[in-house]
Each structure stands twice: as C-alpha cells, then as structure tokens.
Amino acid sequence: MYRFLLAAAPLLLISVQIPTQASAGPNDNQVGRKCEPKKKKTGGMFGSIAGSIAGQALGRAGVPSGVAGVYIPVGSLLSDAIISKLNCKEQVQAATATTEATRGGVGTTSTWTSESRENVQGSSTVVAQNNRSDGGSCMQVNDVVIVNGEETTVSKTMCRAPGASGYTLAA
C-alpha cells in the first residue's frame, strides 16, 4: 500500500496549482480596504485531496507559511487602525512583519518598507509575553506605521491557542 501511495503521489501533485506570487487583485492600491482573497473555483474533491496531501508534505518538509504566495490572513493579524492606513500589498507586508516578530519573541522588531507607495513604512515589536493557564500564550505587540511622515502606533494583543502554530489578534 505504501509503495502505491509513493507511486501515485506525483500524479496527485500534477493537479495542484501552487501560486507563485501573491496577488490581491485590481484593488491593490485602495487604502483602508481589507486585503482578502477572492474565492476561486477549485478542482473538486480530487484537487482538494491532492492539495491536502501536498500541504501536509510541504509542512513536514519545513516549508514556512507565506512562501510561494500563500494567503496571509491580514484581518487576524492587524488592527483596523493599521488596516485603514494601508493598501492591500502593505497590509500583507505589515502582517508578515507581525508574524516574524512573534516568531522571534520579546524584544524582536521586524520592519518593512512599502513596495507600492513612497514614504510608507512600518514595524512590529514584541514588548511582552505571558503564558496562559490553558497552555496557550499571548504577546503584546506594538505596530508602528508611518505614512507621509504621519506616525500611527497601535498596541495589540496576539494569542496562540494550545497546539496552534501561530499567533492571531485577540478579540
């Protein structure tokens, strides 16, 4: 059975389409609009199964999320105050910075500079961390966004549930 799965794996992977570049669509430069991907038609059950197998294989191989244009859920990583200042591409950059900072722990700062607009930059800094009684943990993260010299600073709490792989914005 194991040999059959190994022989069939390349056939399954043929139907999987891995995006090579993140694309938010025609509204990339609209400031303040949440950058959520459009739902696209999938390949049905076979494609879903193949995608699941490929995702598990990539996860075991140590391929980090965010590689190959994987969707970054900006709404679960950024506050509305920050989202309102940034376009879609900048939101993805800010969300990536938040993820990088939380991976580094307390004292870690991750900075970014807009690839789509001049005079736009930001950073995320982890300033505190505490463990919860249920086995999860939370971090206090300060986001700074500078748009044309105007600085916006937002403090947010990011939490990770027990067994979860990443932090998300606490409600």
Side-chain angles (χ1 to χ4, degrees):
M1 177 70 175
Y2 184 69
R3 285 185 219 170
F4 172 76
L5 288 175
L6 285 176
L11 295 174
L12 292 173
L13 294 176
I14 290 173
S15 67
V16 177
Q17 295 179 355
I18 299 175
T20 56
Q21 184 177 2
S23 175
N27 297 323
D28 284 350
N29 291 321
Q30 287 186 345
V31 174
R33 185 164 183 212
K34 281 190 182 177
C35 189
E36 303 295 339
K38 293 180 182 177
K39 295 256 183 187
K40 64 180 196 176
K41 193 173 181 179
T42 61
M45 185 175 71
F46 182 73
S48 176
I49 293 169
S52 175
I53 292 169
Q56 289 175 359
L58 287 172
R60 287 189 197 120
V63 175
S65 63
V67 172
V70 174
Y71 165 65
I72 297 175
V74 297
S76 67
L77 296 172
L78 301 176
S79 66
D80 288 338
I82 295 296
I83 289 173
S84 70
K85 303 284 184 189
L86 305 176
N87 66 31
C88 286
K89 289 180 181 179
E90 295 160 350
Q91 290 173 30
V92 170
Q93 288 182 273
T96 301
T98 294
T99 300
E100 289 173 3
T102 57
R103 286 182 182 155
V106 176
T108 303
T109 298
S110 181
T111 60
W112 59 273
T113 301
S114 177
E115 297 171 352
S116 58
R117 290 192 296 168
E118 290 185 22
N119 300 319
V120 178
Q121 59 189 353
S123 66
S124 291
T125 303
V126 179
V127 294
Q129 179 176 5
N130 59 43
N131 294 322
R132 301 185 316 195
S133 60
D134 67 357
S137 64
C138 292
M139 291 184 170
Q140 192 68 33
V141 179
N142 290 342
D143 282 344
V144 177
V145 172
I146 303 170
V147 179
N148 294 324
E150 181 183 331
E151 183 174 308
T152 302
T153 302
V154 175
S155 183
K156 63 185 176 187
T157 302
M158 306 288 295
C159 293
R160 178 173 60 190
S165 62
Y167 287 85
T168 58
L169 195 60

